[in-house]
Amino acid sequence: TLNYTVIKDKECRIMWSQRDPAQRRSGRGNVFIKNLDASIDNKALHDTFTAFGEILSCKVVTDKQGKSRGFGFVHYDTEEAANLAIEKVNGMLLNDSKVFVGHHISRTEREAHLEQLRANFVNVYVKNLDDEVDDEELQKLFGAFGEITSAHVQRGEDGESRGFGFVNFKDHEAACKAVNELHESEYKGQTLYVSRAQKKFEREKELRSQYEQAKMEKLGKYQGVNLYIKNFDEDMDDDKLRQEFAPYGTITSAKVMRDDKGVSRGFGFVCYTAPDEATKAIAEMNGRMLSKKPLYVALAQRSDQRRQQIEATKRQWQGASPMAPSMYGPPMFYPPGYVQQRGAYPAPRPVRWQGAQPVPGQYPMPAGQYPMPQYPVPAGNRSMRPRNPRQGGRGGYAGRGRGAGGYRTNPRAQQAPDSQDVSQAEAPAADADKPAMLTAAQLASAPPEE
């Protein structure tokens, strides 16, 4: 009951959801109808074709204003139903209009047969017609070249001629002869344009190709001679810009770009006749101070080329400086006496900390709370390196004890020193008879007679 209901001046279409798009893309059971009357909408088309089988979807193609474009599609669930609809309805009258019903052909397939259609065309397009020319007069004008199946002058909503029309011949030879004879001929004071009729997508493709070709020719013509200048004052006009760059060559054009209000946008273009003149102007004027501003002068680039260059530079910077970790990375701990095998760099072993693991940014820690790592040393590989005889324990000299640094007193340092330490300890006794050196404080506190 809600199918084809008008919601905000648009007909909604309700159908069963198809999760698998293979049936839609295959085109099996899809029927194309053209030459539809403007009064036929989606519901009328559905009621007409529902007698031949179950319909999956039905649509009349409309323009932006919601008016019918004269053709539509009906998609059946089976190919047999589509063939039956084509057999029964093709060539029949619907609201006094003879309709064409056939299998739907995708645009890709139509474009594949485009060359064949070009070689055997029978439809002719003619424009620059006088407003008084009607269908009968158009058919009489082209009837001298062969049998005509239809001739029609396009008209607007008010019934006035739009100045162009179509003539469909029965034979390809008659269509070719009409194009060769009537193209650029005079008829009622108008120069006729007669050519093969083209589809809309074909005409758009051809016009786009012509535009791109003309654009590339224009760019090639001004390649290396057109300069881009920016960073000048707002009072700069075309004449001043030409005057500044005139000493370096012959200028064909000089233009300062402005906005809608006529205010300078701060950049412009200067075009020379030769590339060497443009190169000389870049070398002399780039960076030159003009009205207390340094000019920027370079070869002009297209917007898409400049955008690609900027994006390439951004990608290069992003690849050169990614968000990587610190330069030094995490510390690597190796157990004492660990032997490197075969010259390779082994992966560091995990460290088990005695106490709380240190956190970056919290040093210095309170005295006596520095964690000590415990290395997992394998059995049989506990050889110790020779110690410095002056060094008592791990934390420093033996005499320090538990000081401000928090180092523990090493019991090894309290043992009797060896012979070498004794000789070194008794060595200063030989100088006991020498006078002791006085400090500045002792000199200041001593009596004057001393």
Side-chain angles (χ1 to χ4, degrees):
T1 56
L2 293 178
N3 199 12
Y4 308 117
T5 303
V6 178
I7 301 176
K8 292 185 177 182
D9 300 332
K10 290 185 179 181
E11 292 186 359
C12 67
R13 296 190 300 124
I14 305 174
M15 64 198 74
W16 292 105
S17 175
Q18 296 181 7
R19 304 293 296 178
D20 186 9
Q23 186 176 3
R24 299 195 306 268
R25 296 175 180 175
S26 64
R28 184 175 59 88
N30 201 2
V31 176
F32 170 71
I33 307 102
K34 68 177 181 179
N35 299 333
L36 292 174
D37 188 75
S39 61
I40 297 179
D41 56 3
N42 294 329
K43 183 173 178 56
L45 187 66
H46 185 277
D47 295 341
T48 303
F49 284 87
T50 192
F52 307 105
E54 183 179 355
I55 296 177
L56 300 178
S57 66
C58 178
K59 179 178 70 173
V60 175
V61 181
T62 59
D63 55 12
K64 295 180 179 180
Q65 287 75 28
K67 298 181 180 180
S68 173
R69 298 181 60 184
F71 65 94
F73 303 92
V74 176
H75 196 181
Y76 289 96
D77 61 341
T78 60
E79 193 171 359
E80 291 75 12
N83 294 331
L84 182 61
I86 293 173
E87 180 182 354
K88 296 296 183 180
V89 184
N90 185 27
M92 300 296 291
L93 293 177
L94 294 179
N95 291 4
D96 300 330
S97 296
K98 186 178 180 180
V99 297
F100 168 83
V101 183
H103 290 286
H104 172 255
I105 302 175
S106 64
R107 175 174 295 182
T108 305
E109 296 177 355
R110 294 198 305 269
E111 292 180 356
H113 298 286
L114 188 59
E115 295 296 333
Q116 182 179 359
L117 295 176
R118 289 177 179 176
N120 300 312
F121 73 92
V122 294
N123 198 14
V124 176
Y125 168 74
V126 53
K127 70 175 182 178
N128 298 335
L129 294 174
D130 189 77
D131 295 340
E132 298 179 357
V133 177
D134 54 5
D135 297 349
E136 296 180 359
E137 188 174 355
L138 183 64
Q139 185 170 359
K140 182 179 179 181
L141 176 63
F142 283 84
F145 303 100
E147 184 178 354
I148 296 176
T149 58
S150 65
H152 181 67
V153 176
Q154 294 291 331
R155 300 185 179 276
E157 298 179 356
D158 54 358
E160 298 292 333
S161 174
R162 299 180 61 185
F164 68 93
F166 297 91
V167 179
N168 195 16
F169 288 90
K170 184 177 181 180
D171 299 327
H172 170 66
E173 292 75 11
C176 291
K177 187 177 180 181
V179 171
N180 295 331
E181 295 291 336
L182 293 180
H183 183 59
E184 295 183 352
S185 62
E186 295 290 335
Y187 184 75
K188 290 188 174 182
Q190 301 287 340
T191 302
L192 298 180
Y193 175 87
V194 183
S195 67
R196 176 183 64 87
Q198 295 176 316
K199 299 290 184 180
K200 183 178 181 180
F201 71 91
E202 182 184 359
R203 185 168 62 255
E204 291 177 350
K205 183 179 180 180
E206 183 177 349
L207 292 176
R208 192 180 302 109
S209 177
Q210 293 177 359
Y211 171 75
E212 292 294 336
Q213 184 178 359
K215 184 178 180 180
M216 295 304 297
E217 291 178 355
K218 183 178 180 180
L219 292 175
K221 180 180 179 181
Y222 297 107
Q223 185 68 27
V225 297
N226 196 17
L227 299 183
Y228 168 73
I229 304 99
K230 71 175 181 178
N231 200 29
F232 48 73
D233 289 339
E234 295 182 356
D235 59 352
M236 179 71 69
D237 56 7
D238 299 348
D239 296 335
K240 290 183 180 180
L241 186 63
R242 180 187 292 268
Q243 183 178 359
E244 292 292 338
F245 285 83
Y248 307 105
T250 304
I251 298 177
T252 58
S253 65
K255 180 69 174 178
V256 174
M257 305 305 295
R258 301 182 180 277
D259 56 11
D260 299 337
K261 298 180 180 180
V263 180
S264 173
R265 299 176 62 184
F267 69 93
F269 299 92
V270 173
C271 187
Y272 287 93
T273 57
D276 54 347
E277 298 175 351
T279 304
K280 184 178 179 181
I282 293 175
E284 296 292 337
M285 295 296 293
N286 187 29
R288 179 181 173 182
M289 299 298 295
L290 184 64
S291 299
K292 299 181 181 181
K293 288 184 178 182
L295 288 180
Y296 174 83
V297 184
L299 288 175
Q301 292 178 319
R302 290 187 303 174
S303 58
D304 54 348
Q305 291 181 350
R306 187 167 61 254
R307 191 180 303 110
Q308 292 176 1
Q309 184 177 358
I310 294 174
E311 291 177 356
T313 305
K314 288 183 179 179
R315 288 194 300 266
Q316 183 178 1
W317 277 101
Q318 292 175 358
S321 58
M323 296 183 64
S326 175
M327 177 180 66
Y328 297 99
M332 299 176 63
F333 298 97
Y334 296 92
Y338 186 81
V339 181
Q340 182 176 339
Q341 300 178 358
R342 298 185 180 181
Y345 292 92
R349 297 189 179 186
V351 177
R352 293 176 297 179
W353 292 90
Q354 182 180 2
Q357 185 173 352
V359 180
Q362 294 186 1
Y363 290 99
M365 298 179 67
Q369 297 185 11
Y370 283 94
M372 301 298 295
Q374 297 179 354
Y375 303 104
V377 182
N381 192 13
R382 300 180 181 272
S383 58
M384 302 296 292
R385 62 180 180 177
R387 286 189 298 109
N388 189 349
R390 291 178 175 270
Q391 185 174 358
R394 180 183 298 272
Y397 293 97
R400 293 183 61 179
R402 185 182 297 271
Y407 296 102
R408 298 178 180 178
T409 305
N410 195 341
R412 296 182 182 178
Q414 299 177 0
Q415 298 177 2
D418 52 9
S419 59
Q420 182 180 358
D421 295 336
V422 171
S423 61
Q424 292 178 357
E426 294 178 353
D431 299 334
D433 54 346
K434 293 183 179 180
M437 297 181 65
L438 299 178
T439 62
Q442 293 175 349
L443 292 175
S445 61
E449 59 273 7
E450 294 183 0

